[in-house]
Amino acid sequence: MHKKKTEEMEADHQEFTRLIRENQAILYDFIKCRILDKSLAQDVLQETLYIAYKKWDQLKEHPNQTGFLIETARYKIQDFNKKTRKLQREIPIEGHEHIEAKDQYGKVELDIVLENNLDKEDKKYVREQHERTNQQTPWESGKSHIRR
């Protein structure tokens, strides 16, 4: 009886390993298209594979195993994005910090924070800082990429 159980576990292990080998590149490409940072994409991939391992009994009987893995990855990406957005909302912009966007995408993100998330007092402070340096705020200059 014990030998039979061990043989079943070994067969499951081999089947799981085969499934992951066949689908790992597909999953990584799927995740990488949605999370551009390679190390973060790799983390999401590892979390996806961990869930697949935990749910192996379900997965091994599933008629579309690749679809199961992709849907699991999609869920993990959504979870990652939700946590990232929450973290971004929780990080305060201190008045003494100087934030300089290095690229257009960072600038857009900064514009969104400045225009949408600051209260009147903070906007006034930003406006004063920009006036000191003879610059307009992003939303006043017309260079903001934010839709109004």
Side-chain angles (χ1 to χ4, degrees):
M1 180 77 173
H2 180 68
K3 184 177 179 179
K4 187 174 184 179
K5 182 87 168 161
T6 304
E7 289 172 358
E8 287 176 15
M9 288 175 59
E10 180 61 31
D12 277 353
H13 176 73
Q14 289 175 0
E15 178 67 14
F16 181 78
T17 302
R18 179 202 58 78
L19 179 68
I20 297 309
R21 272 196 207 120
E22 289 176 1
N23 290 284
Q24 190 165 1
I26 295 167
L27 286 170
Y28 183 71
D29 289 345
F30 177 82
I31 294 166
K32 185 73 176 87
C33 288
R34 288 151 181 84
I35 299 178
L36 301 178
D37 182 281
K38 289 180 181 179
S39 66
L40 295 175
Q42 189 67 32
D43 289 347
V44 171
L45 174 64
Q46 292 303 317
E47 289 178 24
T48 299
L49 298 178
Y50 177 70
I51 290 173
Y53 177 77
K54 282 179 35 178
K55 295 189 174 194
W56 174 242
D57 288 338
Q58 270 182 280
L59 179 56
K60 71 180 176 183
E61 302 297 327
H62 199 278
N64 182 359
Q65 293 176 331
T66 301
F68 183 100
L69 292 170
I70 288 174
E71 283 304 308
T72 302
R74 185 184 322 272
Y75 166 77
K76 293 310 297 177
I77 291 165
Q78 289 172 349
D79 189 45
F80 170 81
N81 288 334
K82 213 181 292 181
K83 288 177 184 175
T84 302
R85 280 192 299 271
K86 183 178 181 200
L87 180 62
Q88 287 172 346
R89 285 193 305 266
E90 291 175 354
I91 298 174
I93 297 177
E94 299 297 329
H96 63 278
E97 291 181 17
H98 177 70
I99 301 173
E100 182 178 327
K102 300 290 183 200
D103 59 30
Q104 179 184 2
Y105 298 105
K107 182 182 181 321
V108 171
E109 188 173 301
L110 179 59
D111 290 352
I112 291 169
V113 169
L114 292 176
E115 189 168 355
N116 295 332
N117 294 338
L118 296 181
D119 59 21
K120 287 181 182 180
E121 185 176 312
D122 289 336
K123 278 187 179 181
K124 180 181 174 189
Y125 176 81
V126 171
R127 203 172 272 116
E128 288 170 356
Q129 295 304 311
H130 280 274
E131 287 171 4
R132 270 191 26 215
T133 60
N134 293 324
Q135 296 178 353
Q136 292 178 310
T137 60
W139 58 89
E140 292 171 335
S141 68
K143 294 181 181 177
S144 175
H145 300 285
I146 300 171
R147 295 183 190 139
R148 297 180 193 270

mmCIF file of all heavy atoms in Angstrom, residues 31-46:
data_model
loop_
_atom_site.group_PDB
_atom_site.id
_atom_site.type_symbol
_atom_site.label_atom_id
_atom_site.label_comp_id
_atom_site.label_asym_id
_atom_site.label_seq_id
_atom_site.Cartn_x
_atom_site.Cartn_y
_atom_site.Cartn_z
ATOM 1 N N ILE A 31 2.666 37.036 -18.585
ATOM 2 C CA ILE A 31 2.856 37.925 -17.429
ATOM 3 C C ILE A 31 3.721 39.121 -17.817
ATOM 4 O O ILE A 31 3.419 40.265 -17.470
ATOM 5 C CB ILE A 31 3.479 37.143 -16.251
ATOM 6 C CG1 ILE A 31 2.495 36.077 -15.746
ATOM 7 C CG2 ILE A 31 3.890 38.086 -15.125
ATOM 8 C CD1 ILE A 31 3.114 35.045 -14.830
ATOM 9 N N LYS A 32 4.800 38.877 -18.555
ATOM 10 C CA LYS A 32 5.757 39.931 -18.916
ATOM 11 C C LYS A 32 5.108 41.021 -19.764
ATOM 12 O O LYS A 32 5.487 42.185 -19.672
ATOM 13 C CB LYS A 32 6.949 39.307 -19.666
ATOM 14 C CG LYS A 32 8.045 40.279 -19.970
ATOM 15 C CD LYS A 32 8.808 40.617 -18.711
ATOM 16 C CE LYS A 32 9.969 41.517 -19.003
ATOM 17 N NZ LYS A 32 9.669 42.919 -19.006
ATOM 18 N N CYS A 33 4.118 40.668 -20.564
ATOM 19 C CA CYS A 33 3.405 41.675 -21.359
ATOM 20 C C CYS A 33 2.584 42.606 -20.475
ATOM 21 O O CYS A 33 2.236 43.711 -20.894
ATOM 22 C CB CYS A 33 2.473 41.004 -22.365
ATOM 23 S SG CYS A 33 3.345 40.232 -23.722
ATOM 24 N N ARG A 34 2.284 42.173 -19.281
ATOM 25 C CA ARG A 34 1.424 42.951 -18.392
ATOM 26 C C ARG A 34 2.181 43.561 -17.217
ATOM 27 O O ARG A 34 1.730 44.521 -16.614
ATOM 28 C CB ARG A 34 0.294 42.069 -17.894
ATOM 29 C CG ARG A 34 -0.701 41.779 -19.005
ATOM 30 C CD ARG A 34 -1.398 40.448 -18.826
ATOM 31 N NE ARG A 34 -2.322 40.189 -19.924
ATOM 32 C CZ ARG A 34 -1.976 39.662 -21.086
ATOM 33 N NH1 ARG A 34 -0.720 39.341 -21.307
ATOM 34 N NH2 ARG A 34 -2.863 39.463 -22.033
ATOM 35 N N ILE A 35 3.314 42.988 -16.876
ATOM 36 C CA ILE A 35 4.188 43.524 -15.823
ATOM 37 C C ILE A 35 5.574 43.640 -16.438
ATOM 38 O O ILE A 35 6.251 42.631 -16.652
ATOM 39 C CB ILE A 35 4.203 42.614 -14.579
ATOM 40 C CG1 ILE A 35 2.796 42.514 -13.995
ATOM 41 C CG2 ILE A 35 5.203 43.131 -13.558
ATOM 42 C CD1 ILE A 35 2.678 41.612 -12.807
ATOM 43 N N LEU A 36 5.979 44.851 -16.737
ATOM 44 C CA LEU A 36 7.178 45.065 -17.532
ATOM 45 C C LEU A 36 8.487 44.812 -16.791
ATOM 46 O O LEU A 36 9.482 44.480 -17.402
ATOM 47 C CB LEU A 36 7.162 46.478 -18.108
ATOM 48 C CG LEU A 36 5.945 46.787 -18.992
ATOM 49 C CD1 LEU A 36 5.993 48.223 -19.477
ATOM 50 C CD2 LEU A 36 5.839 45.814 -20.149
ATOM 51 N N ASP A 37 8.474 44.960 -15.480
ATOM 52 C CA ASP A 37 9.684 44.713 -14.706
ATOM 53 C C ASP A 37 9.934 43.206 -14.652
ATOM 54 O O ASP A 37 9.093 42.437 -14.184
ATOM 55 C CB ASP A 37 9.517 45.285 -13.292
ATOM 56 C CG ASP A 37 10.751 45.106 -12.456
ATOM 57 O OD1 ASP A 37 10.951 43.978 -11.953
ATOM 58 O OD2 ASP A 37 11.509 46.074 -12.308
ATOM 59 N N LYS A 38 11.104 42.786 -15.118
ATOM 60 C CA LYS A 38 11.402 41.354 -15.234
ATOM 61 C C LYS A 38 11.364 40.633 -13.885
ATOM 62 O O LYS A 38 10.843 39.525 -13.785
ATOM 63 C CB LYS A 38 12.758 41.145 -15.897
ATOM 64 C CG LYS A 38 12.772 41.470 -17.357
ATOM 65 C CD LYS A 38 14.144 41.248 -17.961
ATOM 66 C CE LYS A 38 14.127 41.616 -19.430
ATOM 67 N NZ LYS A 38 15.438 41.435 -20.055
ATOM 68 N N SER A 39 11.942 41.238 -12.865
ATOM 69 C CA SER A 39 11.983 40.549 -11.569
ATOM 70 C C SER A 39 10.587 40.443 -10.960
ATOM 71 O O SER A 39 10.245 39.427 -10.347
ATOM 72 C CB SER A 39 12.952 41.229 -10.607
ATOM 73 O OG SER A 39 12.505 42.516 -10.269
ATOM 74 N N LEU A 40 9.763 41.477 -11.140
ATOM 75 C CA LEU A 40 8.388 41.408 -10.638
ATOM 76 C C LEU A 40 7.569 40.390 -11.429
ATOM 77 O O LEU A 40 6.756 39.658 -10.859
ATOM 78 C CB LEU A 40 7.726 42.785 -10.691
ATOM 79 C CG LEU A 40 8.338 43.845 -9.775
ATOM 80 C CD1 LEU A 40 7.675 45.190 -10.001
ATOM 81 C CD2 LEU A 40 8.236 43.425 -8.321
ATOM 82 N N ALA A 41 7.803 40.342 -12.735
ATOM 83 C CA ALA A 41 7.116 39.347 -13.572
ATOM 84 C C ALA A 41 7.519 37.937 -13.129
ATOM 85 O O ALA A 41 6.675 37.039 -13.059
ATOM 86 C CB ALA A 41 7.447 39.570 -15.042
ATOM 87 N N GLN A 42 8.778 37.760 -12.811
ATOM 88 C CA GLN A 42 9.256 36.455 -12.337
ATOM 89 C C GLN A 42 8.597 36.099 -11.007
ATOM 90 O O GLN A 42 8.224 34.943 -10.777
ATOM 91 C CB GLN A 42 10.782 36.476 -12.209
ATOM 92 C CG GLN A 42 11.404 35.138 -11.946
ATOM 93 C CD GLN A 42 11.265 34.183 -13.113
ATOM 94 O OE1 GLN A 42 11.257 34.573 -14.267
ATOM 95 N NE2 GLN A 42 11.142 32.916 -12.821
ATOM 96 N N ASP A 43 8.434 37.087 -10.119
ATOM 97 C CA ASP A 43 7.750 36.846 -8.841
ATOM 98 C C ASP A 43 6.313 36.395 -9.066
ATOM 99 O O ASP A 43 5.837 35.460 -8.408
ATOM 100 C CB ASP A 43 7.756 38.120 -7.979
ATOM 101 C CG ASP A 43 9.126 38.451 -7.426
ATOM 102 O OD1 ASP A 43 10.041 37.588 -7.486
ATOM 103 O OD2 ASP A 43 9.298 39.582 -6.936
ATOM 104 N N VAL A 44 5.625 37.069 -9.977
ATOM 105 C CA VAL A 44 4.236 36.705 -10.269
ATOM 106 C C VAL A 44 4.187 35.299 -10.875
ATOM 107 O O VAL A 44 3.300 34.507 -10.546
ATOM 108 C CB VAL A 44 3.564 37.747 -11.188
ATOM 109 C CG1 VAL A 44 2.207 37.267 -11.669
ATOM 110 C CG2 VAL A 44 3.410 39.074 -10.452
ATOM 111 N N LEU A 45 5.148 34.963 -11.714
ATOM 112 C CA LEU A 45 5.212 33.616 -12.282
ATOM 113 C C LEU A 45 5.377 32.584 -11.166
ATOM 114 O O LEU A 45 4.682 31.561 -11.149
ATOM 115 C CB LEU A 45 6.364 33.502 -13.283
ATOM 116 C CG LEU A 45 6.617 32.103 -13.837
ATOM 117 C CD1 LEU A 45 5.427 31.610 -14.650
ATOM 118 C CD2 LEU A 45 7.882 32.090 -14.682
ATOM 119 N N GLN A 46 6.282 32.846 -10.242
ATOM 120 C CA GLN A 46 6.507 31.909 -9.138
ATOM 121 C C GLN A 46 5.249 31.745 -8.280
ATOM 122 O O GLN A 46 4.923 30.639 -7.861
ATOM 123 C CB GLN A 46 7.689 32.366 -8.274
ATOM 124 C CG GLN A 46 9.025 32.277 -8.976
ATOM 125 C CD GLN A 46 9.336 30.883 -9.484
ATOM 126 O OE1 GLN A 46 9.106 29.895 -8.801
ATOM 127 N NE2 GLN A 46 9.834 30.804 -10.702
#
